Amino acid sequence: MWRGRDFRRLWVGQTASQLGEHTTLIVLPLFAVLTLNTGAGQLGLLRAVGQAPLLLLPLFVGAWVDRWRTRTVMVVTDAGRALTLGAAAVAGLLGWLGPPALLVVAFVVGALSVFFDVAYQASLVRLVGRGRLLQGNSALEASRSAAQIGGPALGGALVSLLSAPIAAASSALLFALSFLSIRRIRRTESIPERSERPPRVWRRIREGLRFVVGDTSLRTVCLASAAFQFSLAAMMTVYLLFLTRELHLSGTTVGLALAATGPGALLAARMPSRFGYGPVLVSAAALGDGVFLCVPALHGSSAVTVPALLVINFVFGTAGQLVNVTVMAVRQAATPDGMQGRAAATITFVGMGTAPLGSLLGGFLAMEWGLRTSLLVTAAGMMSSPVVMALSPLARLGRVLPALAGRAGGPRSS
């Protein structure tokens, strides 16, 4: 099954999409900092605008995705992101890619990414089935890890050596590749049947919210994700400024430092079944989040700081992949097929929806407290996530996930 053509097409498409997304995430902020010389507040605003769709759209997207084929949603959003970044590349070459245009591009790409990510998270259950969720997530997370390595490094190098428009064009090509690959998937999805009079979108959103809030594990995932994403967004705003202005690193070096990752996705295929899902989640989150407390202590030349940054980001990347794969397996196993999109969207809304506020806070703290102090405070804030998980029943999940009671389409919509 894992060697089937459709799974390979999904894998290739997801890898290209993630590579394009991670390239774009470094291209836009670096262009703002290095080319437009934006300050901390402006950078925080740019990041917040790009993350705003995570707060505004997920609940509506989840209710919509549960009634459509995920392949169609992913194909359309890939095409949209390719066209948007292609237009940005042309505008940049013509000298029109100023701060207002960057804000528009960041918002549009962020909005389309919400559609893609919610559909992608629901696609694995529909296209592959529940029997190998952990293995499937591990394979796809491994490709995401490769994107994390290549995306920042490619984006930083292109911005430094060529230009931001060329970097944007490279992201557009990657989204086009994802479009072509996912479009070729032929397997019929097992989506819930549509009634003649489907429930209103608000009713479907409420069903998703009630389902997640009513499940202890999913409720904890929401709270832990919200704490982590808020602190991470604040920390990353300060971190980008700290690397370029405090440590005086080039765009290429910043991309290299952010690209460091590790074998977390591969470990996720084995560790939960050996040590238990709960212990793996808590320990990996504590290790990955805690390692960033070392960053504010860095001083000196790049010959010293860059290797240290690579080690720190390697540990953070390895632990983060392990947490991501394990959490996704828990969420997919606990959710009926007809609720997959809404459950993913609800968790995205509660968790990732705090990111815009975190980005704004990071910019404010950098202006008021300075880069080094702000970095220490925001890095310490990320430790709230493993604490939330450690104090919840999620930490006591064993080697086998509880069986799903009733796999039908979730709550009835009569």
Side-chain angles (χ1 to χ4, degrees):
M1 178 178 292
W2 299 110
R3 297 179 182 272
R5 291 181 179 179
D6 282 340
F7 184 79
R8 285 200 300 270
R9 289 162 181 162
L10 177 63
W11 181 85
V12 170
Q14 187 257 4
T15 301
S17 178
Q18 289 292 323
L19 185 58
E21 187 172 335
H22 285 285
T23 300
T24 305
L25 288 176
I26 193 67
V27 165
L28 298 184
L30 280 182
F31 180 73
V33 171
L34 299 176
T35 304
L36 302 179
N37 198 31
T38 58
Q42 291 174 308
L43 180 62
L45 176 63
L46 174 65
R47 286 175 49 79
V49 168
Q51 295 161 340
L54 295 168
L55 179 63
L56 301 174
L57 299 179
L59 295 179
F60 298 97
V61 173
W64 189 73
V65 165
D66 273 338
R67 293 182 51 79
W68 292 91
R69 300 191 186 281
T70 58
R71 170 188 171 277
T72 302
V73 178
M74 290 187 285
V75 164
V76 171
T77 53
D78 274 334
R81 289 185 290 184
L83 291 173
T84 300
L85 288 168
V90 173
L93 291 172
L94 295 175
W96 299 342
L97 196 63
L102 278 178
L103 292 176
V104 173
V105 171
F107 183 85
V108 173
V109 172
L112 293 172
S113 293
V114 170
F115 278 88
F116 183 93
D117 291 342
V118 171
Y120 152 68
Q121 292 182 57
S123 67
L124 194 64
V125 174
R126 296 185 189 176
L127 294 172
V128 177
R130 296 179 175 274
R132 293 182 175 177
L133 284 180
L134 189 58
Q135 297 95 320
N137 284 320
S138 297
L140 293 176
E141 184 68 13
S143 71
R144 192 176 75 91
S145 301
Q148 286 180 317
I149 295 173
L154 177 62
L158 291 175
V159 170
S160 294
L161 301 177
L162 298 174
S163 65
I166 298 300
S170 70
S171 296
L173 290 175
L174 289 166
F175 288 127
L177 174 60
S178 179
F179 166 85
L180 293 173
S181 181
I182 294 176
R183 185 172 177 270
R184 297 177 63 208
I185 292 176
R186 294 292 178 261
R187 176 163 177 160
T188 303
E189 295 183 36
S190 56
I191 60 175
E193 294 183 3
R194 303 179 191 174
S195 59
E196 293 183 1
R197 298 183 61 185
R200 294 181 181 273
V201 64
W202 284 109
R203 182 175 181 179
R204 294 177 60 79
I205 289 174
R206 287 196 299 270
E207 289 174 352
L209 288 169
R210 283 199 303 267
F211 176 77
V212 172
V213 170
D215 186 281
T216 303
S217 296
L218 299 184
R219 185 170 63 244
T220 303
V221 167
C222 278
L223 295 175
S225 177
F228 172 75
Q229 294 296 340
F230 177 81
S231 300
L232 177 66
M235 190 274 295
M236 283 301 298
T237 300
V238 182
Y239 189 44
L240 288 170
L241 293 167
F242 181 79
L243 295 180
T244 55
R245 297 181 179 173
E246 191 76 20
L247 300 183
H248 306 291
L249 302 181
S250 67
T252 302
T253 307
V254 170
L256 178 64
L258 295 177
T261 186
L266 300 177
L267 295 175
R270 298 184 179 183
M271 291 188 68
S273 59
R274 182 173 182 181
F275 300 104
Y277 283 81
V280 167
L281 274 175
V282 175
S283 58
L287 176 62
D289 298 348
V291 73
F292 260 99
L293 292 170
C294 303
V295 176
L298 296 179
H299 293 82
S301 67
S302 59
V304 176
T305 57
V306 172
L309 287 170
L310 290 174
V311 172
I312 290 170
N313 281 280
F314 178 87
V315 174
F316 177 74
T318 299
Q321 295 164 38
L322 187 53
V323 171
N324 289 342
V325 174
T326 308
V327 163
M328 191 173 291
V330 170
R331 194 264 301 164
Q332 290 171 336
T335 306
D337 292 351
M339 190 64 66
Q340 288 287 337
R342 281 171 285 174
T346 300
I347 293 173
T348 298
F349 170 75
V350 177
M352 297 294 293
T354 60
L357 302 178
S359 293
L360 292 174
L361 176 64
F364 173 78
L365 293 179
M367 291 188 295
E368 297 295 324
W369 293 359
L371 296 178
R372 202 172 293 274
T373 301
S374 300
L375 190 58
L376 179 62
V377 170
T378 53
M382 291 197 298
M383 292 300 295
S384 58
S385 177
V387 170
V388 169
M389 289 192 287
L391 297 177
S392 75
L394 189 66
R396 297 192 290 273
L397 287 176
R399 300 177 182 178
V400 179
L401 291 173
L404 180 65
R407 294 186 179 180
R412 294 180 62 183
S413 303
S414 58

